[in-house]
Amino acid sequence: MPHARQDNPSRSIARPATRDDVMVNVANFTWVNGFDLYDIAPGVPAWTEYFAKASLGPTGQLDIPAEVDRCSVQGDKVWGASFDDGPSEFTHYVQEYFKTKSLLTTFFVVGSQVAMFPSVLKDSFDAGHAIGIHCWSHTKLTSLTDDQIIAEFVLGAKSIADTLGVYPKYFRPPYGESDERVIRLAATVGLTSVVWSADSGDSVDEVDISETLTNEIVPANFARFVAEHRDHDISLQHDLREYEAKIASTAMDILLTGGYNILPIHKCLDDANPYGNNILKGFFESGQFDTKDAVLPPLSVNSTSPNARPSSSESWGVETAVTGNAAITNTAAPSTRSSSASPIGHYSFLAWLATLAAVAIVL
C-alpha cells in the first residue's frame, strides 16, 4: 500500500500566462458549468452503480489489478519516466528535452489543469508521449466518498477524452495515496494505479522548495539511483512549476549517462497501448455522463473500434457517487517508495475561472 504524505497548503498552482487564454480554454469545457473548477468533483450515485455493473467480467467477478510501482518489461537498466500535475505553461521544457533526445515519457495530468491548458496536453500527445489520469482536483482519494472518487476519475478522464479522444488505462493517485478501496473503485472504471519507486525530490511535504534547492536535490537523487545500480524503477517528477520542469533534462541526462533505457510507463510495463479503456469509453458513449438521476444499461464497446470523443453535456446538478473492470493484469512488488508527490489541491487562483467560463458561454 502506498505511503501517505502530508498536504502542503502553501503550494499553489501555476498561474496561466493570460486571462484571455484561460477564458477561451475553459469555454471549451462547458460541462464544468455549475461547480467551481477548484472543487472536488461532485459525486453522482448513478455513475457508481453504472460502473459497478459495467466492470463485471464474464464470470461476474471484478478483476482488480495490482498497484504498480516498478517496471516489469524484460531487459537491463530499464527506467520508467513520469511527470505529474500538468499540463502547465512550463510543460514545454519537458517536451523540448525529450524531443531532442528522441525519447518519450508519461504525463499524469490533472483534469482541471487540462481545462486550462488543453493545447499543451495535445502537444504532448501529438509528440507521442503517453497520457494518464491524475484525477480532477488533485485531492487525496482516501479522504473522499466512493461517489466522489469515481467522479474524480470520470472528470479527469473526460478532460482527456474531450481533448484527445482517448481513454487511458492508467492513473496515478494524487499524493501517491491509495488503499484497497481506491484501487477497487479504480478497477471498476478500468484503471490501474501506477505509483513510483524513485522519488526525484523535486517536491517535498513540509515546504514549497525553491529552485535552488530543487537544483541540488534532484541531481543528487538521480546520481544516487545510478550509483546504487537501481533497475526497473519508476520515477516521480513534476511539470507544474518552472523549476520542476527545467530540472527534468538534468535528471534524465544522468540516467542516460548511466546507460539507462528511459521508457514511458506503459512501455516499461510491457504494454503496447496506454489507452483503449473500454469501460470508460462505454460509459461516455452510453449517455450515462449526462444522466445523473438514473442508471443506464452498461454499453459494451468493440475493443478495436476507434475511441470516440464524449458528447458535450448538460450543466451539473447537485448530487454525489460511482464504480467499473480492468483489463490490465500487471503484477507489482509491494511499494517501498517514500512518497513526496507534488500537491496541487487548492487551486487558489481558480476561483475566478468559473465566472470566466460563464461569461464565455454567454458571449
Side-chain angles (χ1 to χ4, degrees):
M1 179 185 302
H3 299 127
R5 71 181 298 284
Q6 297 298 313
D7 284 318
N8 176 11
S10 67
R11 181 177 173 83
S12 59
I13 198 170
R15 177 180 281 277
T18 67
R19 291 169 61 98
D20 290 341
D21 185 48
V22 172
M23 183 170 70
V24 171
N25 290 345
V26 173
N28 294 332
F29 290 76
T30 57
W31 46 269
V32 304
N33 292 337
F35 72 97
D36 291 333
L37 279 176
Y38 58 85
D39 279 352
I40 295 168
V44 181
W47 291 357
T48 306
E49 294 185 43
Y50 174 94
F51 284 113
K53 296 176 181 178
S55 60
L56 300 180
T59 63
Q61 300 295 315
L62 173 65
D63 177 21
I64 304 177
E67 185 170 75
V68 175
D69 71 349
R70 302 186 65 83
C71 298
S72 56
V73 69
Q74 292 185 348
D76 296 325
K77 289 198 168 183
V78 171
W79 196 275
S82 62
F83 293 82
D84 287 11
D85 295 358
S88 78
E89 59 190 308
F90 306 117
T91 301
H92 69 91
Y93 288 112
V94 181
Q95 295 168 338
E96 291 161 3
Y97 170 79
F98 275 82
K99 181 178 180 179
T100 63
K101 299 295 182 178
S102 298
L103 295 172
L104 297 173
T105 187
T106 296
F107 291 99
F108 287 101
V109 299
V110 176
S112 46
Q113 283 290 101
V114 175
M116 293 186 291
F117 299 99
S119 62
V120 177
L121 179 66
K122 191 171 187 306
D123 287 343
S124 295
F125 179 76
D126 289 345
H129 299 296
I131 307 301
I133 295 171
H134 202 32
C135 298
W136 170 256
S137 67
H138 203 279
T139 301
K140 284 185 179 180
L141 297 180
T142 53
S143 70
L144 304 180
T145 67
D146 288 6
D147 297 344
Q148 290 171 323
I149 291 171
I150 294 295
E152 283 281 326
F153 292 144
V154 167
L155 296 196
K158 184 164 176 59
S159 68
I160 294 170
D162 277 1
T163 306
L164 306 176
V166 296
Y167 303 90
K169 296 184 293 189
Y170 299 104
F171 89 101
R172 174 163 288 163
Y175 309 100
E177 184 172 293
S178 66
D179 55 21
E180 292 182 1
R181 180 176 68 104
V182 170
I183 292 173
R184 174 180 56 81
L185 289 170
T188 67
V189 185
L191 293 171
T192 296
S193 177
V194 178
V195 285
W196 62 88
S197 55
D199 190 338
S200 69
D202 64 358
S203 173
V204 296
D205 298 338
E206 294 79 12
V207 294
D208 183 12
I209 59 178
S210 67
E211 179 174 359
T212 300
L213 192 55
T214 301
N215 290 340
E216 294 174 358
I217 292 174
V218 174
N221 280 337
F222 277 86
R224 175 172 57 84
F225 299 153
V226 173
E228 292 173 349
H229 305 290
R230 301 276 286 268
D231 199 358
H232 284 75
D233 282 86
I234 292 175
S235 58
L236 169 70
Q237 291 185 262
H238 301 87
D239 59 314
L240 175 63
R241 298 188 178 281
E242 185 173 20
Y243 55 79
E244 294 170 341
K246 277 185 167 182
I247 201 64
S249 59
T250 300
M252 295 297 101
D253 277 344
I254 291 172
L255 292 177
L256 292 175
T257 301
Y260 283 86
N261 182 20
I262 299 173
L263 299 172
I265 299 305
H266 69 289
K267 290 289 188 182
C268 97
L269 298 177
D270 201 19
D271 185 359
N273 183 9
Y275 312 115
N277 184 334
N278 290 321
I279 294 176
L280 275 172
K281 186 171 188 284
F283 169 82
F284 289 113
E285 292 186 354
S286 72
Q288 184 68 72
F289 181 84
D290 292 323
T291 305
K292 300 181 177 67
D293 57 357
V295 182
L296 302 181
L299 178 64
S300 178
V301 296
N302 188 335
S303 60
T304 60
S305 64
N307 283 328
R309 296 177 184 270
S311 59
S312 60
S313 63
E314 62 189 24
S315 298
W316 279 81
V318 278
E319 295 108 352
T320 26
V322 175
T323 328
N325 173 344
I328 309 302
T329 55
N330 294 313
T331 58
S335 176
T336 58
R337 75 192 186 291
S338 173
S339 172
S340 66
S342 163
I344 294 179
H346 337 286
Y347 288 21
S348 60
F349 75 98
L350 289 177
W352 48 270
L353 283 178
T355 301
L356 286 177
V359 171
I361 297 303
V362 171
L363 295 177

